[in-house]
């Protein structure tokens, strides 16, 4: 993930959560310490996040409709889920991801 992609992710998550996310908010979502976390996110928005942070951010990105649900989380395309039920299940999953992000933000 590049710095520009992280900036875009912050905007996309802001839209998904219906609130403008700050660098401090992104730091909280990533589990960074309160002191210095926002500065770390701002640096990442220039140089790109660390590989371990990128993994967390890719999971968080699933809260936005603009990002695909990662394959290891996508249990909706299995043979035991009816095709007509899949869109609603995907939407419910994304809402769960949004709820988790809101919980982390307090």
């Amino acid at each position: 993930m590049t710095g520009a992609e992280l900036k875009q992710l912050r905007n996309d998550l802001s839209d998904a959560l219906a609130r403008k996310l700050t660098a401090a908010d992104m730091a909280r979502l990533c589990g960074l310490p309160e002191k210095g976390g926002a500065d770390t996110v701002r640096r990442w928005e220039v140089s790109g996040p660390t590989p371990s942070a990128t993994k967390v951010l890719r999971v968080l990105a699933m809260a936005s409709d603009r990002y695909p649900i990662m394959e290891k989380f996508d249990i909706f395309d299995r043979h035991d889920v009816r095709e007509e039920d899949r869109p609603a299940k995907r939407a419910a999953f994304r809402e769960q991801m949004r709820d988790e992000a809101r919980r982390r933000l307090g």
Side-chain angles (χ1 to χ4, degrees):
M1 178 177 285
T2 66
E5 290 169 334
L6 176 56
K7 282 182 185 179
Q8 184 61 51
L9 175 59
R10 180 166 27 147
N11 291 332
D12 293 339
L13 287 175
S14 291
D15 291 343
L17 299 174
R19 71 177 264 196
K20 181 80 170 150
L21 295 179
T22 65
D25 292 332
M26 290 300 288
R28 255 181 272 153
L29 288 174
C30 290
L32 296 174
E34 193 170 322
K35 185 176 182 176
D39 291 333
T40 299
V41 170
R42 284 191 277 282
R43 276 194 306 276
W44 287 349
E45 287 182 341
V46 174
S47 62
T50 64
S52 59
T54 297
K55 290 177 185 177
V56 171
L57 291 164
R58 288 203 171 131
V59 171
L60 290 170
M62 293 187 293
S64 171
D65 293 328
R66 295 185 181 131
Y67 296 86
I69 295 174
M70 293 169 64
E71 191 171 309
K72 67 181 175 180
F73 291 91
D74 191 0
I75 59 169
F76 315 112
D77 289 331
R78 297 184 330 192
H79 68 282
D80 59 343
V81 178
R82 295 179 347 177
E83 279 193 51
E84 56 270 14
D85 295 338
R86 292 175 185 175
K89 290 191 179 286
R90 282 189 195 95
F93 175 79
R94 287 194 191 275
E95 191 56 40
Q96 284 179 318
M97 295 300 296
R98 291 179 191 120
D99 288 344
E100 174 61 20
R102 288 182 192 106
R103 185 192 64 75
R104 287 181 183 208
L105 293 171

